[in-house]
């Protein structure tokens, strides 16, 4: 609490989001920037790659790896003596970039700041294009360093070396229990059972869940929306429990809207009109 008073009185909170720019398909930075900024905190960015679209379903996408640019950016930032109160990493294009994120956390996270890792690697039981087991192992290492990790069900299974439930329903409690060996505060999204979908999260060793009704199908960018809202709410001083609850409301509302409004789910979620009620909930929760 002392920490938040110092931050809020002294200067505006800064969040650094390390993620790719996918020009089309609303995910990663094109979601994180509007959502985190709308929460009322500064969102600085470190783009990891520039893609014509995300890799989840479009054929022939372009991919420009920005790893080579990062050392010069960091050198300049060092000269500015800048620190970040929250560092949130998402899609990383290579094992080398995972090493870089670890270095950024060690050099640029403000004292008492929080490091949040969304280990973006896959969905539907499979790894995305471009990722393999070596990447998973390296991501698992990064997750051990984070204050919070936000895997979806697929990523949680890879991290915990747990079988992905293709047909059967998932024991979210058993999965999160295994993940506690990787990180003390895992928050697992998209855990589906028959007609329900849940977020499971651990707090002080106790596992909790928030359940919503299930909309069938894959919704690209849903994990990014959840993670961005979670980080934005944390940066506004919410507890992790409240941030999970607010992020779940926003994501569920955006998915429900998109199930009706977006015929081709590769183009991402129509989350924009759901930001207003989300921010109202965030501000009301302040009283
Ligand atoms: O939403 C996750 C994501 C982020 N970035 C890129 C992706 C994906 C999922 O497919 O391809 C480039």
């Amino acid at each position: 609490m002392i920490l938040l008073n110092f931050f809020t009185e002294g200067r505006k909170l800064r969040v650094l989001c390390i993620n790719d720019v996918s020009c089309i398909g609303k995910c990663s930075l094109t979601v994180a920037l509007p959502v985190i900024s709308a929460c009322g905190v500064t969102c600085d960015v470190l783009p990891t790659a520039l893609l014509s679209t995300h890799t989840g379903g479009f054929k022939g996408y372009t991919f420009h790896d920005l790893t080579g640019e990062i050392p010069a950016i960091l050198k300049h930032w060092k000269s500015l003596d800048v620190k970040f109160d929250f560092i949130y990493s998402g899609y990383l294009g290579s094992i080398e970039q995972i090493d870089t994120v670890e270095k950024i956390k060690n050099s640029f996270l403000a004292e008492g700041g929080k490091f949040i890792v969304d280990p973006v690697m896959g969905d539907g039981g499979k790894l995305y294009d471009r990722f393999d087991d070596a990447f998973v192992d390296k991501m698992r290492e990064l997750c051990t360093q984070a204050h919070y990790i936000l895997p979806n069900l697929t990523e949680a299974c890879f991290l915990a070396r747990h079988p992905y439930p293709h047909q059967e329903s998932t024991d979210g409690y058993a999965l999160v229990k295994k993940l506690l060996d990787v990180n003390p505060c895992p928050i697992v999204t998209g855990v589906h059972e028959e007609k329900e979908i849940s977020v499971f999260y651990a707090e002080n060793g106790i596992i909790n869940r928030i359940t919503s009704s299930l909309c069938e199908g894959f919704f690209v960018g849903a994990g990014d929306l959840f993670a961005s809202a979670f980080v934005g709410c944390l940066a506004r001083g919410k507890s992790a429990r409240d941030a999970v609850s607010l992020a779940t409301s926003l994501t569920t509302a955006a998915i429900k809207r998109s199930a009706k409004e977006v015929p081709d789910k590769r183009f991402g979620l129509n989350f924009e009109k759901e930001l207003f009620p989300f921010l109202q909930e965030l501000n009301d929760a302040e009283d």
Side-chain angles (χ1 to χ4, degrees):
M1 273 306 117
I2 290 165
L3 169 80
L4 285 170
N5 286 341
F6 166 75
F7 281 145
T8 44
E9 280 163 25
R11 63 196 163 87
K12 200 161 182 222
L13 281 169
R14 308 189 81 85
V15 176
L16 172 64
C17 180
I18 308 172
N19 220 329
D20 71 274
V21 178
S22 290
C23 301
I24 288 179
K26 287 193 272 186
C27 64
S28 30
L29 279 181
T30 62
V31 170
L33 253 177
V35 172
I36 294 172
S37 297
C39 288
V41 291
T42 298
C43 183
D44 296 315
V45 299
L46 184 62
T48 54
L50 175 66
L51 298 87
S52 52
T53 67
H54 59 69
T55 68
F58 292 102
K59 291 254 166 2
Y61 60 82
T62 67
F63 186 102
H64 179 63
D65 187 343
L66 293 171
T67 307
E69 196 62 23
I70 293 177
I73 293 174
L74 298 182
K75 192 167 168 219
H76 185 217
W77 287 358
K78 266 254 167 324
S79 77
L80 302 176
D81 205 20
V82 65
K83 294 271 181 190
F84 303 99
D85 308 300
F86 295 83
I87 296 180
Y88 152 40
S89 74
Y91 185 94
L92 303 173
S94 61
I95 286 185
E96 195 183 340
Q97 283 192 348
I98 301 181
D99 275 329
T100 306
V101 169
E102 194 180 332
K103 287 190 191 122
I104 294 171
K105 177 226 159 199
N106 292 335
S107 304
F108 290 97
L109 189 63
E111 217 184 308
K114 297 276 183 257
F115 176 44
I116 299 116
V117 173
D118 180 358
V120 176
M121 296 189 291
D123 209 348
K126 286 190 265 165
L127 294 177
Y128 294 132
D129 237 10
R130 307 177 57 85
F131 296 139
D132 57 16
D133 289 346
F135 188 90
V136 175
D137 288 343
K138 192 75 189 166
M139 186 59 91
R140 191 179 297 109
E141 267 175 53
L142 185 70
C143 285
T144 64
Q145 321 246 329
H147 293 94
Y148 299 97
I149 59 169
L150 305 164
N152 63 24
L153 176 60
T154 299
E155 292 150 355
C157 288
F158 275 100
L159 291 172
R161 302 184 175 91
H162 188 84
Y164 180 82
H166 281 281
Q167 304 295 333
E168 61 285 17
S169 59
T170 324
D171 182 349
Y173 292 99
L175 176 59
V176 172
K177 208 158 167 238
K178 272 197 192 171
L179 263 187
L180 287 171
D181 290 340
V182 177
N183 181 278
C185 297
I187 299 164
V188 181
T189 57
V191 181
H192 52 77
E193 292 152 301
E194 293 199 354
K195 290 191 159 57
E196 291 183 333
I197 188 151
S198 303
V199 176
F200 282 81
Y201 64 100
E203 213 179 24
N204 306 320
I206 296 167
I207 301 170
N208 302 298
R209 77 189 278 191
I210 298 182
T211 299
S212 325
S213 56
L214 177 69
C215 284
E216 291 293 344
F218 287 119
F219 293 87
V220 173
D224 302 303
L225 183 63
F226 180 90
S228 304
F230 174 78
V231 171
C233 291
L234 271 194
R236 278 287 293 272
K238 298 283 151 236
S239 64
R241 170 185 288 255
D242 287 347
V244 168
S245 164
L246 285 157
T248 304
S249 300
L250 172 63
T251 311
T252 306
I255 287 176
K256 289 210 166 112
R257 173 184 284 278
S258 306
K260 287 189 238 132
E261 292 182 358
V262 183
D264 185 341
K265 303 291 181 283
R266 294 177 304 174
F267 285 87
L269 292 172
N270 276 0
F271 67 88
E272 298 84 350
K273 288 192 178 132
E274 299 302 338
L275 281 179
F276 189 62
F278 159 70
L279 294 174
Q280 265 181 331
E281 219 186 317
L282 173 60
N283 290 327
D284 286 351
E286 211 107 281
D287 300 334

